[in-house]
Amino acid sequence: MNLKLVQIHVHFEYTDAIDVLLEHAGVRQFVRYPLMEGKDHEGRHHGTQIFPGNLTVFQAIVPEADVDRLFADLEHFRTEKRAHEHLQALVLPVERQLGTDAAAAATQRRGHEGR
């Protein structure tokens, strides 16, 4: 199975909305980095006294077959309101994975071999 790493950057106040989009796309496991500082496309440095808001970064390993559905949902969110335009998402290839699904599959195989 080909896997992709999807990374999403969003203003912190939309964290719950992104949780829902990930769930809708079948993503049950992800990493969320809250309260990140960064500069958006308009030059705003979030996490400063002038722009006190923060960014949230999500990372999820997604089967390649599910990426288009997730991106369609993210694009809909991004274009739904002007306040959502800051959302950024990218897809990177996953060369190897250690843990989570890989570990569960290996554990299951070992359990069957010992019987």
Side-chain angles (χ1 to χ4, degrees), residues 32-60:
R32 178 180 29 217
Y33 304 98
L35 304 175
M36 302 298 292
E37 296 181 6
K39 183 177 175 182
D40 69 11
H41 69 281
E42 294 178 333
R44 295 181 179 142
H45 292 266
H46 295 277
T48 65
Q49 290 182 355
I50 297 171
F51 299 107
N54 294 98
L55 303 171
T56 299
V57 176
F58 290 83
Q59 289 184 327

mmCIF file of all heavy atoms in Angstrom, residues 32-60:
data_model
loop_
_atom_site.group_PDB
_atom_site.id
_atom_site.type_symbol
_atom_site.label_atom_id
_atom_site.label_comp_id
_atom_site.label_asym_id
_atom_site.label_seq_id
_atom_site.Cartn_x
_atom_site.Cartn_y
_atom_site.Cartn_z
ATOM 1 N N ARG A 32 -0.883 16.271 16.074
ATOM 2 C CA ARG A 32 -1.258 17.687 16.020
ATOM 3 C C ARG A 32 -0.254 18.470 16.869
ATOM 4 O O ARG A 32 0.005 18.127 18.015
ATOM 5 C CB ARG A 32 -2.669 17.873 16.573
ATOM 6 C CG ARG A 32 -3.111 19.310 16.608
ATOM 7 C CD ARG A 32 -4.510 19.497 17.163
ATOM 8 N NE ARG A 32 -4.834 18.470 18.114
ATOM 9 C CZ ARG A 32 -6.041 17.925 18.249
ATOM 10 N NH1 ARG A 32 -7.022 18.306 17.509
ATOM 11 N NH2 ARG A 32 -6.261 16.992 19.140
ATOM 12 N N TYR A 33 0.309 19.507 16.268
ATOM 13 C CA TYR A 33 1.239 20.395 16.969
ATOM 14 C C TYR A 33 0.513 21.712 17.214
ATOM 15 O O TYR A 33 0.409 22.549 16.312
ATOM 16 C CB TYR A 33 2.495 20.643 16.137
ATOM 17 C CG TYR A 33 3.214 19.380 15.729
ATOM 18 C CD1 TYR A 33 3.017 18.821 14.470
ATOM 19 C CD2 TYR A 33 4.083 18.756 16.600
ATOM 20 C CE1 TYR A 33 3.682 17.658 14.093
ATOM 21 C CE2 TYR A 33 4.757 17.594 16.221
ATOM 22 C CZ TYR A 33 4.538 17.059 14.967
ATOM 23 O OH TYR A 33 5.195 15.918 14.591
ATOM 24 N N PRO A 34 -0.011 21.922 18.419
ATOM 25 C CA PRO A 34 -0.737 23.162 18.694
ATOM 26 C C PRO A 34 0.212 24.299 19.052
ATOM 27 O O PRO A 34 1.391 24.079 19.357
ATOM 28 C CB PRO A 34 -1.605 22.787 19.898
ATOM 29 C CG PRO A 34 -0.787 21.765 20.625
ATOM 30 C CD PRO A 34 -0.043 20.997 19.542
ATOM 31 N N LEU A 35 -0.304 25.494 18.997
ATOM 32 C CA LEU A 35 0.410 26.690 19.444
ATOM 33 C C LEU A 35 1.757 26.891 18.752
ATOM 34 O O LEU A 35 2.765 27.226 19.372
ATOM 35 C CB LEU A 35 0.590 26.678 20.969
ATOM 36 C CG LEU A 35 -0.703 26.543 21.782
ATOM 37 C CD1 LEU A 35 -0.393 26.418 23.258
ATOM 38 C CD2 LEU A 35 -1.637 27.703 21.507
ATOM 39 N N MET A 36 1.767 26.679 17.457
ATOM 40 C CA MET A 36 2.978 26.905 16.670
ATOM 41 C C MET A 36 3.013 28.363 16.230
ATOM 42 O O MET A 36 1.977 28.996 16.048
ATOM 43 C CB MET A 36 2.997 25.998 15.435
ATOM 44 C CG MET A 36 2.922 24.503 15.745
ATOM 45 S SD MET A 36 4.295 23.891 16.713
ATOM 46 C CE MET A 36 5.616 24.063 15.556
ATOM 47 N N GLU A 37 4.203 28.882 16.070
ATOM 48 C CA GLU A 37 4.361 30.227 15.548
ATOM 49 C C GLU A 37 4.766 30.134 14.092
ATOM 50 O O GLU A 37 5.415 29.181 13.674
ATOM 51 C CB GLU A 37 5.415 30.981 16.348
ATOM 52 C CG GLU A 37 5.005 31.195 17.792
ATOM 53 C CD GLU A 37 6.041 31.962 18.589
ATOM 54 O OE1 GLU A 37 7.035 32.441 17.999
ATOM 55 O OE2 GLU A 37 5.855 32.070 19.803
ATOM 56 N N GLY A 38 4.343 31.119 13.313
ATOM 57 C CA GLY A 38 4.705 31.109 11.911
ATOM 58 C C GLY A 38 4.254 32.367 11.204
ATOM 59 O O GLY A 38 3.585 33.219 11.782
ATOM 60 N N LYS A 39 4.606 32.465 9.954
ATOM 61 C CA LYS A 39 4.268 33.617 9.128
ATOM 62 C C LYS A 39 3.353 33.117 8.012
ATOM 63 O O LYS A 39 3.671 32.141 7.332
ATOM 64 C CB LYS A 39 5.559 34.206 8.546
ATOM 65 C CG LYS A 39 5.374 35.438 7.719
ATOM 66 C CD LYS A 39 6.741 35.959 7.271
ATOM 67 C CE LYS A 39 6.608 37.120 6.345
ATOM 68 N NZ LYS A 39 7.912 37.586 5.872
ATOM 69 N N ASP A 40 2.208 33.780 7.837
ATOM 70 C CA ASP A 40 1.273 33.332 6.799
ATOM 71 C C ASP A 40 1.543 34.058 5.480
ATOM 72 O O ASP A 40 2.470 34.863 5.369
ATOM 73 C CB ASP A 40 -0.177 33.473 7.260
ATOM 74 C CG ASP A 40 -0.644 34.922 7.400
ATOM 75 O OD1 ASP A 40 0.061 35.850 6.954
ATOM 76 O OD2 ASP A 40 -1.741 35.117 7.957
ATOM 77 N N HIS A 41 0.719 33.776 4.480
ATOM 78 C CA HIS A 41 0.920 34.321 3.140
ATOM 79 C C HIS A 41 0.750 35.841 3.078
ATOM 80 O O HIS A 41 1.173 36.467 2.127
ATOM 81 C CB HIS A 41 -0.010 33.630 2.135
ATOM 82 C CG HIS A 41 -1.464 33.955 2.309
ATOM 83 N ND1 HIS A 41 -2.237 33.357 3.278
ATOM 84 C CD2 HIS A 41 -2.258 34.818 1.656
ATOM 85 C CE1 HIS A 41 -3.463 33.842 3.204
ATOM 86 N NE2 HIS A 41 -3.500 34.732 2.231
ATOM 87 N N GLU A 42 0.130 36.421 4.109
ATOM 88 C CA GLU A 42 -0.039 37.880 4.157
ATOM 89 C C GLU A 42 1.065 38.557 4.967
ATOM 90 O O GLU A 42 1.038 39.755 5.189
ATOM 91 C CB GLU A 42 -1.408 38.225 4.747
ATOM 92 C CG GLU A 42 -2.550 37.786 3.853
ATOM 93 C CD GLU A 42 -3.919 38.086 4.454
ATOM 94 O OE1 GLU A 42 -4.029 38.142 5.701
ATOM 95 O OE2 GLU A 42 -4.856 38.262 3.667
ATOM 96 N N GLY A 43 2.039 37.783 5.429
ATOM 97 C CA GLY A 43 3.158 38.337 6.172
ATOM 98 C C GLY A 43 2.917 38.499 7.657
ATOM 99 O O GLY A 43 3.710 39.100 8.360
ATOM 100 N N ARG A 44 1.821 37.948 8.156
ATOM 101 C CA ARG A 44 1.520 38.046 9.581
ATOM 102 C C ARG A 44 2.327 37.007 10.357
ATOM 103 O O ARG A 44 2.277 35.827 10.041
ATOM 104 C CB ARG A 44 0.031 37.826 9.826
ATOM 105 C CG ARG A 44 -0.818 38.903 9.219
ATOM 106 C CD ARG A 44 -2.277 38.657 9.513
ATOM 107 N NE ARG A 44 -3.086 39.704 8.944
ATOM 108 C CZ ARG A 44 -4.252 39.518 8.389
ATOM 109 N NH1 ARG A 44 -4.786 38.310 8.336
ATOM 110 N NH2 ARG A 44 -4.921 40.522 7.898
ATOM 111 N N HIS A 45 3.035 37.462 11.350
ATOM 112 C CA HIS A 45 3.817 36.580 12.213
ATOM 113 C C HIS A 45 2.947 36.170 13.396
ATOM 114 O O HIS A 45 2.843 36.899 14.378
ATOM 115 C CB HIS A 45 5.094 37.287 12.709
ATOM 116 C CG HIS A 45 6.077 37.551 11.638
ATOM 117 N ND1 HIS A 45 7.113 36.691 11.367
ATOM 118 C CD2 HIS A 45 6.188 38.568 10.746
ATOM 119 C CE1 HIS A 45 7.830 37.178 10.366
ATOM 120 N NE2 HIS A 45 7.284 38.307 9.982
ATOM 121 N N HIS A 46 2.303 35.043 13.310
ATOM 122 C CA HIS A 46 1.419 34.580 14.382
ATOM 123 C C HIS A 46 2.253 34.137 15.574
ATOM 124 O O HIS A 46 3.299 33.517 15.428
ATOM 125 C CB HIS A 46 0.514 33.465 13.874
ATOM 126 C CG HIS A 46 -0.414 33.957 12.824
ATOM 127 N ND1 HIS A 46 -1.586 34.589 13.112
ATOM 128 C CD2 HIS A 46 -0.299 33.958 11.477
ATOM 129 C CE1 HIS A 46 -2.180 34.950 11.990
ATOM 130 N NE2 HIS A 46 -1.413 34.579 10.975
ATOM 131 N N GLY A 47 1.755 34.484 16.767
ATOM 132 C CA GLY A 47 2.476 34.190 17.991
ATOM 133 C C GLY A 47 3.216 35.406 18.520
ATOM 134 O O GLY A 47 3.977 35.312 19.463
ATOM 135 N N THR A 48 2.977 36.582 17.908
ATOM 136 C CA THR A 48 3.606 37.813 18.370
ATOM 137 C C THR A 48 2.562 38.673 19.075
ATOM 138 O O THR A 48 1.371 38.358 19.066
ATOM 139 C CB THR A 48 4.182 38.611 17.178
ATOM 140 O OG1 THR A 48 3.104 39.028 16.336
ATOM 141 C CG2 THR A 48 5.176 37.785 16.387
ATOM 142 N N GLN A 49 2.987 39.774 19.666
ATOM 143 C CA GLN A 49 2.046 40.674 20.326
ATOM 144 C C GLN A 49 1.103 41.329 19.327
ATOM 145 O O GLN A 49 -0.055 41.589 19.636
ATOM 146 C CB GLN A 49 2.793 41.740 21.126
ATOM 147 C CG GLN A 49 3.479 41.167 22.347
ATOM 148 C CD GLN A 49 4.188 42.232 23.162
ATOM 149 O OE1 GLN A 49 4.255 43.385 22.777
ATOM 150 N NE2 GLN A 49 4.715 41.829 24.309
ATOM 151 N N ILE A 50 1.561 41.568 18.133
ATOM 152 C CA ILE A 50 0.710 42.193 17.110
ATOM 153 C C ILE A 50 -0.307 41.191 16.576
ATOM 154 O O ILE A 50 -1.472 41.516 16.393
ATOM 155 C CB ILE A 50 1.569 42.765 15.967
ATOM 156 C CG1 ILE A 50 2.467 43.879 16.510
ATOM 157 C CG2 ILE A 50 0.701 43.277 14.834
ATOM 158 C CD1 ILE A 50 3.500 44.379 15.550
ATOM 159 N N PHE A 51 0.116 39.966 16.329
ATOM 160 C CA PHE A 51 -0.766 38.887 15.875
ATOM 161 C C PHE A 51 -0.662 37.747 16.889
ATOM 162 O O PHE A 51 0.123 36.815 16.711
ATOM 163 C CB PHE A 51 -0.367 38.399 14.474
ATOM 164 C CG PHE A 51 -0.464 39.467 13.423
ATOM 165 C CD1 PHE A 51 0.671 40.045 12.893
ATOM 166 C CD2 PHE A 51 -1.706 39.922 12.992
ATOM 167 C CE1 PHE A 51 0.592 41.040 11.937
ATOM 168 C CE2 PHE A 51 -1.800 40.916 12.033
ATOM 169 C CZ PHE A 51 -0.649 41.488 11.504
ATOM 170 N N PRO A 52 -1.439 37.836 17.980
ATOM 171 C CA PRO A 52 -1.277 36.885 19.080
ATOM 172 C C PRO A 52 -1.769 35.465 18.792
ATOM 173 O O PRO A 52 -1.474 34.555 19.533
ATOM 174 C CB PRO A 52 -2.089 37.518 20.213
ATOM 175 C CG PRO A 52 -3.089 38.369 19.522
ATOM 176 C CD PRO A 52 -2.439 38.852 18.271
ATOM 177 N N GLY A 53 -2.492 35.265 17.727
ATOM 178 C CA GLY A 53 -2.975 33.922 17.425
ATOM 179 C C GLY A 53 -1.838 32.992 17.048
ATOM 180 O O GLY A 53 -0.738 33.419 16.720
ATOM 181 N N ASN A 54 -2.097 31.712 17.124
ATOM 182 C CA ASN A 54 -1.097 30.698 16.773
ATOM 183 C C ASN A 54 -1.603 29.834 15.637
ATOM 184 O O ASN A 54 -2.767 29.871 15.269
ATOM 185 C CB ASN A 54 -0.797 29.814 17.989
ATOM 186 C CG ASN A 54 -0.118 30.584 19.090
ATOM 187 O OD1 ASN A 54 -0.755 31.028 20.032
ATOM 188 N ND2 ASN A 54 1.181 30.766 18.966
ATOM 189 N N LEU A 55 -0.705 29.054 15.121
ATOM 190 C CA LEU A 55 -1.026 28.081 14.080
ATOM 191 C C LEU A 55 -1.045 26.683 14.691
ATOM 192 O O LEU A 55 -0.388 26.431 15.700
ATOM 193 C CB LEU A 55 0.018 28.131 12.965
ATOM 194 C CG LEU A 55 0.213 29.485 12.294
ATOM 195 C CD1 LEU A 55 1.410 29.444 11.373
ATOM 196 C CD2 LEU A 55 -1.036 29.888 11.549
ATOM 197 N N THR A 56 -1.774 25.798 14.073
ATOM 198 C CA THR A 56 -1.755 24.384 14.425
ATOM 199 C C THR A 56 -1.297 23.619 13.196
ATOM 200 O O THR A 56 -1.734 23.913 12.080
ATOM 201 C CB THR A 56 -3.149 23.893 14.864
ATOM 202 O OG1 THR A 56 -3.557 24.630 16.016
ATOM 203 C CG2 THR A 56 -3.146 22.415 15.198
ATOM 204 N N VAL A 57 -0.412 22.661 13.393
ATOM 205 C CA VAL A 57 0.084 21.823 12.308
ATOM 206 C C VAL A 57 -0.384 20.397 12.560
ATOM 207 O O VAL A 57 -0.226 19.866 13.663
ATOM 208 C CB VAL A 57 1.626 21.870 12.220
ATOM 209 C CG1 VAL A 57 2.139 20.918 11.146
ATOM 210 C CG2 VAL A 57 2.102 23.288 11.968
ATOM 211 N N PHE A 58 -0.992 19.801 11.556
ATOM 212 C CA PHE A 58 -1.408 18.401 11.603
ATOM 213 C C PHE A 58 -0.507 17.604 10.672
ATOM 214 O O PHE A 58 -0.148 18.093 9.595
ATOM 215 C CB PHE A 58 -2.835 18.239 11.068
ATOM 216 C CG PHE A 58 -3.908 18.806 11.939
ATOM 217 C CD1 PHE A 58 -4.236 20.142 11.889
ATOM 218 C CD2 PHE A 58 -4.615 17.971 12.799
ATOM 219 C CE1 PHE A 58 -5.240 20.661 12.672
ATOM 220 C CE2 PHE A 58 -5.624 18.485 13.589
ATOM 221 C CZ PHE A 58 -5.940 19.833 13.530
ATOM 222 N N GLN A 59 -0.177 16.387 11.066
ATOM 223 C CA GLN A 59 0.504 15.440 10.185
ATOM 224 C C GLN A 59 -0.232 14.114 10.279
ATOM 225 O O GLN A 59 -0.512 13.635 11.389
ATOM 226 C CB GLN A 59 1.962 15.242 10.585
ATOM 227 C CG GLN A 59 2.819 16.449 10.292
ATOM 228 C CD GLN A 59 4.281 16.196 10.606
ATOM 229 O OE1 GLN A 59 4.620 15.468 11.526
ATOM 230 N NE2 GLN A 59 5.158 16.808 9.833
ATOM 231 N N ALA A 60 -0.541 13.554 9.136
ATOM 232 C CA ALA A 60 -1.250 12.279 9.100
ATOM 233 C C ALA A 60 -0.687 11.414 7.981
ATOM 234 O O ALA A 60 -0.395 11.910 6.892
ATOM 235 C CB ALA A 60 -2.747 12.508 8.866
#
